[in-house]
């Protein structure tokens, strides 16, 4: 019987990297227990089943229901709850991403066990797992033990290494998970999903983020940032100051009320470093700040600080990176 159920994240029928990070968490939390994986949506090809098995999954469940084609919180919750029952797992690990985290919270409430959201790491001592969660914009860390019932955990992407491939995985195929008897509740009806079409790297998973603040002075001011992000293969983000000023879309907002990112490299351009912004990026591995004000609070969290005009510095960086890539 698998002890852990991992809720896979997918895009275009392929597992997203965070799925492999969740498999790492599952193995760390339950070194001797098996890991089941729940796939929501159309069953992918055998290559994906083999890939998940080679990275630690011993059982693959797929909820291939029409209600899961577009995000539907009730169908998602049902799928997770049925997968918990089918797998017999005592621990459910999912990504702390929208919209999955919504359904995980609903499922956790249904089982009434422990719940730890937005974890960034775990530690094992004496056979017990502690889930580590940042508090107060990363100023403190809470270690939470989940001691009762079926436990639910969500993990922030980009914080754990992806599970590696091991050569000795037995062949595993997806088992279909039947929808609930009587069908999925229909209190929510998704009429249309307006997907944002973009070529850009996904901000939540990007290894490099170039973020702009009110210092970019206008929508046009984001252009050098986009060029730098492109040269680095990264994504563009923003402070709320830049979003509120109408310089960019709110989808780019990083911070307490925006996205939480943990890239390898975060380049903050014209961002003062308000506590609410730090809440969304302070766990980045290396932080570079570019700001004309030497006293800007962003320099207190930066590993490298450049005091100067972003409109001079950013194009110079882009040019240098392009040169080195040639
Ligand atoms: P500013 O504070 O105006 O800073 C602009 C910076 O640009 C300055 O430091 C300036 O020196 C520098 N600058 C100007 N020109 C240049 C130049 N040419 N080159 C280089 N530097 C230059 N904020 C978030 O970001 N994310 C959130 O999720 C968020 N949630 C919030 C939730 C609540 C409840 C509240 C109250 C606030 C929230 N905020 C959030 C807002 C936050 O408090 C700040 O107001 C905001 O982060 C400021 O954005 P900024 O740094 O871009 O702008």
């Amino acid at each position: 019987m698998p002890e852990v159920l991992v809720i896979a994240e997918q895009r275009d029928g392929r597992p997203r990297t965070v799925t492999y990070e969740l498999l790492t968490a599952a193995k760390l939390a339950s070194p001797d227990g098996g890991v089941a994986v729940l796939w929501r949506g159309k069953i992918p090809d055998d290559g994906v089943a083999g890939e998940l098995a080679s990275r630690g999954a011993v059982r693959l469940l797929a909820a291939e229901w029409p209600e899961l084609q577009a995000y539907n919180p009730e169908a998602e919750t049902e799928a997770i709850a049925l997968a918990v029952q089918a797998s017999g797992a005592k621990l459910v690990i999912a990504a702390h991403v929208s919209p999955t985290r919504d359904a995980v919270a609903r499922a956790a409430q249904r089982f009434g066990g422990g719940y730890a959201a937005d974890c960034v790491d775990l530690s094992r001592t004496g056979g017990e797992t502690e889930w580590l969660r940042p508090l107060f914009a990363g100023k403190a860390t809470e270690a939470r033990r989940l001691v009762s019932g079926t436990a639910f955990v969500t993990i922030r992407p980009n914080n754990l290494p992806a599970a590696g491939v091991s050569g000795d995985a037995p062949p595993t195929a997806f088992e279909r998970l039947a929808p609930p008897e009587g069908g999925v509740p229909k209190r929510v009806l998704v009429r249309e999903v307006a997907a944002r079409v973009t070529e850009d790297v996904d901000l939540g998973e990007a290894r490099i983020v170039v973020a702009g603040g009110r210092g970019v002075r206008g929508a046009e001011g984001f252009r050098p940032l986009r060029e730098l992000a492109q040269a680095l293969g990264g994504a563009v983000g923003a402070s709320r100051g830049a979003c509120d000023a109408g310089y960019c879309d709110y989808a780019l907002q990083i911070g307490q009320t925006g996205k939480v990112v943990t890239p390898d490299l975060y380049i903050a351009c014209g961002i003062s470093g308000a506590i609410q912004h730090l809440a969304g990026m302070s766990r980045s591995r290396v932080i570079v700040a570019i700001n004309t004000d030497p006293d800007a609070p962003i320099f207190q969290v930066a590993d490298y600080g450049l005091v100067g005009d972003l409109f001079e510095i950013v194009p110079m960086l882009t040019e240098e990176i392009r040169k080195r890539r040639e």
Side-chain angles (χ1 to χ4, degrees):
M1 265 285 203
E3 280 184 10
V4 187
L5 173 70
V6 162
I7 314 296
E9 288 297 322
Q10 56 134 316
R11 183 182 298 123
D12 302 330
R14 297 282 317 157
R16 289 170 65 177
T17 309
V18 67
T19 302
Y20 303 139
E21 297 167 8
L22 302 179
L23 286 171
T24 297
K27 273 284 151 205
L28 290 172
S30 177
D32 305 319
V35 181
V37 168
L38 169 65
W39 188 269
R40 295 160 292 164
K42 193 172 176 325
I43 295 180
D45 59 39
D46 291 348
V48 170
E51 178 85 1
L52 291 168
S54 71
R55 292 177 194 253
V58 296
R59 195 167 171 204
L60 303 175
L61 302 166
E64 196 181 38
W65 310 344
E67 292 88 350
L68 289 171
Q69 267 169 17
Y71 178 67
N72 174 328
E74 291 176 314
E76 297 272 339
T77 308
E78 291 295 334
I80 294 170
L82 286 173
V84 172
Q85 281 158 5
S87 63
K90 288 280 162 257
L91 170 65
V92 180
I93 302 181
H96 193 73
V97 295
S98 303
T100 300
R101 63 197 211 193
D102 164 17
V104 172
R106 288 164 183 259
Q109 189 274 338
R110 194 179 287 192
F111 283 87
Y115 179 40
D118 197 16
C119 300
V120 293
D121 205 350
L122 68 156
S123 73
R124 290 272 297 171
T125 31
E128 297 269 6
T129 306
E130 283 186 341
W131 298 96
L132 307 180
R133 317 170 55 233
L135 298 177
F136 307 117
K139 285 195 161 51
T141 302
E142 178 195 70
R144 194 176 283 194
R145 265 187 211 174
L146 306 176
V147 290
S148 65
T150 305
F152 287 73
V153 172
T154 61
I155 297 183
R156 230 184 248 188
N158 276 350
N159 278 276
L160 293 172
V165 174
S166 83
D168 52 1
T172 311
F174 280 99
E175 299 164 42
R176 273 172 211 277
L177 198 61
E181 280 175 30
V184 173
K186 294 217 168 21
R187 279 170 300 187
V188 174
L189 179 65
V190 180
R191 287 192 184 280
E192 188 193 356
V193 176
R196 199 181 301 275
V197 180
T198 167
E199 303 267 302
D200 295 342
V201 179
D202 185 303
L203 185 55
E205 284 187 10
R207 292 273 164 206
I208 298 176
V209 173
V210 181
R214 221 175 336 235
V216 304
R217 291 193 222 132
E220 188 54 24
F222 267 96
R223 189 202 290 232
L225 275 59
R226 281 209 181 83
E227 287 172 357
L228 178 58
Q230 257 166 20
L232 290 165
V236 173
S239 70
R240 179 157 142 188
C243 300
D244 282 347
Y247 301 165
C248 63
D249 197 284
Y250 278 103
L252 300 190
Q253 185 184 318
I254 290 166
Q256 183 183 313
T257 43
K259 292 198 169 77
V260 176
V261 298
T262 321
D264 292 336
L265 175 61
Y266 189 89
I267 306 178
C269 311
I271 294 177
S272 58
I275 182 94
Q276 296 90 354
H277 186 76
L278 302 187
M281 46 63 75
S282 61
R283 285 186 53 85
S284 305
R285 279 183 192 92
V286 175
I287 298 172
V288 176
I290 304 170
N291 200 304
T292 43
D293 175 6
D295 297 323
I298 191 77
F299 288 126
Q300 285 168 21
V301 296
D303 299 284
Y304 299 94
L306 301 171
V307 179
D309 187 343
L310 71 93
F311 294 105
E312 286 172 22
I313 296 170
V314 172
M316 279 197 289
L317 282 175
T318 309
E319 199 187 319
E320 190 58 33
I321 285 152
R322 283 185 184 146
K323 254 194 246 160
R324 286 169 189 238
R325 290 260 157 107
E326 276 166 13

